[in-house]
Amino acid sequence: MSDGRLPRRRRWVGWTVGIVLTLLVVAIGWVTVRGIGAVSDLQQVAKGASQLKAAIAEGDLDGAEPIASSIAGNARSARDLTSDPVWQAFGVIPWLGPNFRAVSDVAQIADDVSADALTPLLDVAADFDLAGLGFTGGAIDLAPFAEIEKPLGTASTALTSAEQRAQQIDADATLPPLADAVRELRSSVTEAATVVGSLHGASVLLPTMLGGDGPRNYVLAMQNNAEVRSAGGIIGSIALLHAEGGRITLGLQASTTDFPALDTALPLSDSTIALFEDRPGRYLQNITSIPDFSDAGATIAARWQGRFGGEVDGVIAVDAVVAKHLMAATGDLTFGPFTATPDTVISILLSEIYAAIPDPAVQDDVFAQAASGLFSAALSGGDPKALIGALAESAGEGRIRIWSAHADEEAVLAGSVLGGTIPVDSADATYVGVLMNDATGAKMDYYTRASITTAVGTCRGEETTQVRVTWTNTAPADAATSLPAYVTGDGVYGVPPGSVGTLIAVYGPEGSTPSHIDRDGSEDGVQTTTLGDRSVVQHDVVLAPGESTTITVDFQGEGAGERLTEALVTPLIEAPKISREELRCGS
């Protein structure tokens, strides 16, 4: 007969299950309470970050210090709440785990940024006008830069590390509210890293580049995005800048007609010749087709010296959209028959001028007037903080590229957004790129639009990085007759009037090779080459008004399939939409 008790083994199992369930309930309660506290702390960090940014912008350092202290306390608390063994254990649970890991990673990043970046930044801000870079009366005070270089370097290193770690958080694997927060963190940290990195670069470069150790001369190349090139646009006008003791003046101005085509091309890389033949080495207008600005800048300097002689210490290339950003600080601008506002200057410079002034030589003169007027206004009439902000925004969009003839300066520039070089892949970041170059021989890119998507995963059993480019001609249906022949090209280069011809080059991660290429789902003839260790695929596309095309390239092999993939794209009049999406394997 049974005495009513369970067998010993069953009792042992029951006790064990009961203990496990009790511990699990306690653990869930533990992480729930700590999670609520951590989220509350991080919300306070986000709120404080906005307040701190505003306080620094207004120069209220007395108010900034307690805000920074509060941010540090909340960030440290969030990190403590999400770093204990119980929280970390929940991070390995399928489905739920990525959410716990994401909160923990965000808390750690916030704590590191507050400890390693905020303190040196506030120390610098106490002694130096970061917002205006010491810019007053058309000159920059170079003396304080030696003192701020080291703390800015410390802050920049911390923010760069934070940016890389933020990019590695798998937002797609988390719940929607948390995914949004992670993406917001990425955006904020990237913005801060870019700004502080630029400030650190400025502290290293400006003292010598602005003539602190002796006069400097720079060629300023102004690009027209209505005829797109890899670096932004065709060179429309060119001038010489003189820098001495922190003061910049505008010297000789020239037009492209002053630079006739060369009979013998200047030296070019094999990849540039494969993509564009020798045209960048013969025509000034095409030099900015060269994919890497460290090569393009040297070639522009050689053309200037070949025409006018003299020493050239560097080259600065800017595109037309920079005018819009600068005019937001300097105000309206009158040139030729036009009076432009920040909202109308792009339309005037890149579209309306061709209907109002049919003569290309007169157009060049009006462009020169616009450049000279804007330069004078920026140096004498603009608010320093607003001007620096406009330049920072332009640089962040890739619209300002700088090459230095001095090797030590070029080494710093090449590693920054200003250098216009193709970055080196790392364990934390893989880069792909899209280069646009006009083949219409006219100004139809005023009407083009682009969108770029990247995707990573596995296709046909191989790690894959996919780049998809959609290119659209938004010109009116009657563009062939309603637009000036100078804008449409009038079919001179084989592209029907109103249509847009474009060379679209897509390059992949270092070490990878194209495994699948299609255009609108079908195979299409392509050019192929390499940029260093990167494979490049280039399509020659012609679109009638209203037409659109989509190019898809799958890259496989070493470097492909990394989750963190950043796309670098030719600066266009309207910045392309760049997004990530789920990988769709080609057949």
Side-chain angles (χ1 to χ4, degrees):
M1 292 182 62
S2 171
D3 61 3
R5 292 182 298 177
L6 292 172
R8 180 173 299 175
R9 176 171 295 180
R10 292 178 64 188
R11 291 200 305 272
W12 180 84
V13 171
W15 293 337
T16 302
V17 170
I19 292 170
V20 169
L21 288 175
T22 300
L23 290 174
L24 184 59
V25 169
V26 171
I28 291 173
W30 176 265
V31 297
T32 299
V33 171
R34 294 174 76 84
I36 292 173
V39 169
S40 177
D41 284 332
L42 292 173
Q43 288 174 337
Q44 292 301 312
V45 168
K47 180 180 178 181
S50 297
Q51 294 172 339
L52 183 65
K53 183 177 180 180
I56 293 176
E58 294 170 2
D60 181 15
L61 295 182
D62 290 337
E65 290 183 2
I67 297 173
S69 178
S70 176
I71 290 174
N74 285 312
R76 186 166 53 252
S77 173
R79 182 171 188 167
D80 291 343
L81 288 169
T82 58
S83 59
D84 66 277
V86 176
W87 185 280
Q88 297 299 318
F90 271 79
V92 301
I93 298 175
W95 190 76
L96 284 176
N99 296 278
F100 285 89
R101 293 197 299 273
V103 173
S104 179
D105 289 342
V106 169
Q108 291 182 33
I109 290 169
D111 185 39
D112 290 344
V113 167
S114 66
D116 300 332
L118 281 185
T119 298
L121 282 176
L122 287 176
D123 289 343
V124 169
D127 300 317
F128 186 77
D129 178 17
L130 284 176
L133 281 182
F135 183 86
T136 55
I140 293 179
D141 182 8
L142 302 177
F145 282 99
E147 297 179 9
I148 67 173
E149 188 273 327
K150 185 175 181 179
L152 281 176
T154 299
S156 179
T157 299
L159 286 167
T160 299
S161 174
E163 179 186 20
Q164 292 173 346
R165 289 155 55 197
Q167 294 286 2
Q168 290 176 313
I169 300 175
D170 188 359
D172 296 335
T174 63
L175 295 171
L178 182 54
D180 291 341
V182 169
R183 294 187 182 101
E184 184 177 352
L185 171 77
R186 284 177 180 163
S187 177
S188 298
V189 173
T190 295
E191 179 184 5
T194 299
V195 171
V196 175
S198 298
L199 289 172
H200 178 241
S203 70
V204 173
L205 296 173
L206 286 182
T208 54
M209 292 191 73
L210 290 185
D213 294 338
R216 291 288 188 92
N217 291 307
Y218 299 96
V219 175
L220 175 64
M222 286 153 279
Q223 301 178 86
N224 185 333
N225 312 72
E227 191 169 346
V228 71
R229 296 289 187 270
S230 297
I234 188 172
I235 295 177
S237 59
I238 195 164
L240 193 69
L241 298 179
H242 181 77
E244 190 167 357
R247 186 173 297 275
I248 307 169
T249 54
L250 181 64
L252 175 64
Q253 290 184 270
S255 72
T256 55
T257 58
D258 294 311
F259 296 83
L262 298 176
D263 293 330
T264 302
L266 294 175
L268 299 170
S269 68
D270 292 342
S271 58
T272 296
I273 293 174
L275 295 171
F276 312 114
E277 300 177 342
D278 68 352
R279 292 189 295 273
R282 296 181 60 232
Y283 297 92
L284 175 74
Q285 300 94 317
N286 289 335
I287 294 177
T288 44
S289 289
I290 298 173
D292 195 310
F293 195 74
S294 62
D295 294 330
T299 307
I300 293 170
R303 285 303 311 264
W304 180 276
Q305 289 176 305
R307 176 65 178 83
F308 296 112
E311 291 294 323
V312 172
D313 294 289
V315 173
I316 303 168
V318 300
D319 73 17
V321 181
V322 175
K324 176 182 178 179
H325 295 327
L326 286 175
M327 286 176 61
T330 62
D332 297 352
L333 182 67
T334 298
F335 50 92
F338 305 104
T339 295
T341 69
D343 294 328
T344 63
V345 66
I346 297 301
S347 176
I348 291 172
L349 288 176
L350 304 186
S351 178
E352 296 172 32
I353 190 172
Y354 303 115
I357 305 174
D359 186 344
V362 179
Q363 292 169 9
D364 287 347
D365 182 59
V366 173
F367 281 126
Q369 291 179 40
S372 178
L374 183 60
F375 187 82
S376 297
L379 289 180
S380 61
D383 173 66
K385 292 181 180 180
L387 285 170
I388 296 299
L391 291 172
E393 182 177 6
S394 300
E397 295 175 358
R399 302 188 185 280
I400 301 176
R401 304 191 179 205
I402 304 175
W403 168 82
S404 175
H406 302 266
D408 55 340
E409 295 171 355
E410 176 59 17
V412 176
L413 286 167
S416 74
V417 68
L418 293 172
T421 59
I422 298 174
V424 176
D425 290 349
S426 68
D428 299 313
T430 297
Y431 295 91
V432 298
V434 181
L435 305 174
M436 312 289 191
N437 282 273
D438 175 74
T440 317
K443 301 297 185 286
M444 286 296 294
D445 285 312
Y446 180 78
Y447 299 98
T448 55
R449 301 292 182 268
S451 63
I452 317 291
T453 61
T454 61
V456 296
T458 303
C459 285
R460 299 172 292 280
E462 296 286 342
E463 291 293 311
T464 302
T465 295
Q466 184 179 86
V467 183
R468 180 174 284 117
V469 184
T470 299
W471 187 241
T472 304
N473 178 5
T474 69
D478 63 350
T481 55
S482 64
L483 297 177
Y486 190 79
V487 173
T488 66
D490 205 26
V492 171
Y493 295 98
V495 177
S499 294
V500 175
T502 315
L503 298 175
I504 302 177
V506 180
Y507 63 79
E510 289 180 326
S512 67
T513 56
S515 61
H516 175 82
I517 306 166
D518 74 52
R519 179 181 167 198
D520 300 324
S522 302
E523 292 186 0
D524 192 25
V526 298
Q527 294 171 279
T528 60
T529 186
T530 58
L531 289 172
D533 292 332
R534 301 178 187 275
S535 295
V536 186
V537 176
Q538 180 166 269
H539 286 75
D540 190 345
V541 172
V542 177
L543 299 177
E547 285 189 339
S548 182
T549 190
T550 297
I551 293 167
T552 303
V553 185
D554 291 352
F555 294 95
Q556 294 184 331
E558 181 183 352
E562 298 289 340
R563 179 161 296 280
L564 173 56
T565 300
E566 185 172 347
L568 306 176
V569 184
T570 289
L572 305 173
I573 295 172
E574 184 173 304
K577 178 183 178 182
I578 302 175
S579 59
R580 302 179 190 180
E581 63 178 29
E582 186 176 348
L583 180 64
R584 292 174 284 166
C585 298
S587 60

